[in-house]
Amino acid sequence: MGKKAFIFPGQGSQYVGMAKDLFENSVEAKEMILTAEEATGLPLRNLMFNGPEESLKQTDVTQPAIYLHSVVLSSLIRTLEPDFVAGHSLGEYSALTAAGAVQFYEAIKLVHARGKAMLKAGIENPGTMAAVIGLEPEKLMDICNIAGEEGIVQCANFNSPGQIVISGSVTGVRKAMEIAKREGAKLVKELVVSGAFHSPLMENAREELKETLESTPFYDAKKPVYTNVTAKPVQNKDEIKELLLAQLTKPVRWEESIKNMIEDGADEFYEVGPGKVLQGLVKRINPDVRIFGIEKYSDLERYL
């Protein structure tokens, strides 16, 4: 028998109207959303259901919103049990909650603190990110090393074959973009972001989150969590905390994580949360595995 993996999306998957149908159709979902509002002090219902999009795109709102949507869904799935879990950047917090490594009420506060710390770090150390399509990882890492003479830049997300995101200072990233185009990248596009995520420019966020993270109770995960920093399965609570902190300045090794899960027997992937970004990435990493999306109440009904 093949194994099942739940994968959870990160920032960029939010949209106005997210989780509204869950709130309207499930008492449990309604309670969780109201609890999240109480824990964070944010008007999450209004922002998620009605927008405006500009407000929903603010990092300190986006992160709790996506986490909440994902975790409400995974909490309501009754008949489907994952063997492995993983989440893309912010999604790692959803994965850890699904694996029983952290309680929902504690995690939503932690995610809100992470969003605020990252937003603040983005203001203190402004930076940018860019997607680069069509270059090998080694080639792009060399380009970042060369461009590093102009300013900080590193590979931030190894998403799928030939799709990598770079992150760092505006001068460093733009220099790397210029070289990548010259070196034959199919597409190079600067992203609209509020900071240089997964780069050394997030060091202040790391320092700020450290205290909150240390005071949040964690438990050994009930199932393997393939983490962004190592791309390997982890269950030990102390290791999980260390990796969550490291994750802010280190690259997301998503392609490797998916390949490792497949190697360990996963042949069915369920993206649990808003959007379809991860489904697209998994298809590009390995078109032979089966991929499903659980995003709406109607998707949930077969698993209740």
Side-chain angles (χ1 to χ4, degrees):
M1 279 291 283
K3 292 182 174 174
K4 296 176 179 67
F6 280 10
I7 51 175
F8 296 89
Q11 212 159 320
S13 300
Q14 72 281 355
Y15 57 86
V16 174
M18 62 192 288
K20 190 169 190 277
D21 60 330
L22 300 173
F23 186 85
E24 289 166 351
N25 288 290
S26 160
V27 176
E28 195 177 327
K30 189 175 185 175
E31 279 174 7
M32 287 178 79
I33 291 166
L34 294 174
T35 298
E37 286 193 328
E38 183 222 317
T40 59
L42 290 171
L44 286 166
R45 263 174 304 169
N46 194 34
L47 291 163
M48 290 164 77
F49 304 168
N50 309 312
E53 196 176 342
E54 238 7 84
S55 303
L56 192 57
K57 271 159 84 175
Q58 289 295 317
T59 299
D60 58 334
V61 173
T62 310
Q63 296 200 21
I66 292 171
Y67 168 83
L68 180 55
H69 189 157
S70 299
V71 171
V72 165
L73 287 165
S74 66
S75 302
L76 292 174
I77 297 166
R78 302 277 184 250
T79 58
L80 196 61
E81 190 65 37
D83 298 286
F84 310 135
V85 294
H88 192 286
S89 187
L90 156 75
E92 191 153 287
Y93 288 76
S94 312
L96 288 164
T97 308
V102 62
Q103 296 296 317
F104 167 67
Y105 188 75
E106 299 294 342
I108 188 83
K109 290 188 288 183
L110 185 58
V111 165
H112 186 216
R114 180 184 190 262
K116 286 193 292 185
M118 287 169 77
L119 185 67
K120 191 174 162 203
I123 295 163
E124 289 165 347
N125 294 312
T128 190
M129 300 175 83
V132 180
I133 310 283
L135 289 181
E136 288 298 316
E138 293 74 18
K139 179 87 172 163
L140 192 52
M141 285 193 275
D142 287 344
I143 288 169
C144 286
N145 283 337
I146 296 161
E149 288 173 20
E150 301 276 330
I152 290 167
V153 59
Q154 71 177 31
C155 292
N157 299 342
F158 296 96
N159 283 332
S160 67
Q163 192 199 323
I164 299 167
V165 174
I166 58 173
S167 180
S169 66
V170 174
T171 50
V173 169
R174 288 188 181 157
K175 184 66 182 175
M177 288 170 72
E178 192 188 301
I179 303 169
K181 282 176 194 163
R182 224 172 38 228
E183 291 293 326
K186 288 182 192 160
L187 176 75
V188 180
K189 187 183 180 209
E190 194 165 343
L191 305 175
V192 182
V193 288
S194 59
F197 305 145
H198 302 287
S199 87
L201 294 183
M202 282 289 123
E203 186 55 48
N204 288 5
R206 208 173 91 100
E207 285 307 310
E208 195 147 319
L209 191 65
K210 195 174 183 178
E211 206 175 306
T212 316
L213 193 58
E214 278 171 2
S215 63
T216 303
F218 271 74
Y219 312 89
D220 290 342
K222 291 175 184 146
K223 51 200 60 171
V225 182
Y226 286 70
T227 73
N228 292 179
V229 173
T230 65
K232 292 187 174 132
V234 171
Q235 285 182 260
N236 177 275
K237 62 181 178 185
D238 299 324
E239 208 175 331
I240 285 167
K241 279 192 176 189
E242 274 170 38
L243 290 167
L244 281 179
L245 212 51
Q247 190 218 56
L248 286 169
T249 54
K250 300 271 189 199
V252 173
R253 292 160 67 176
W254 188 250
E255 183 184 342
E256 231 181 303
S257 298
I258 297 297
K259 284 179 170 171
N260 286 342
M261 284 193 270
I262 293 168
E263 205 168 290
D264 292 339
D267 62 2
E268 280 185 11
F269 286 83
Y270 295 80
E271 181 173 10
V272 183
K276 297 178 169 55
V277 173
L278 300 183
Q279 293 166 66
L281 296 181
V282 174
K283 268 189 194 119
R284 283 198 284 278
I285 293 164
N286 187 324
D288 299 329
V289 297
R290 301 204 308 153
I291 307 155
F292 308 90
I294 302 174
E295 176 182 4
K296 306 270 187 200
Y297 190 78
S298 53
D299 301 323
L300 259 186
E301 285 183 302
R302 72 195 83 149
Y303 307 115
L304 288 171

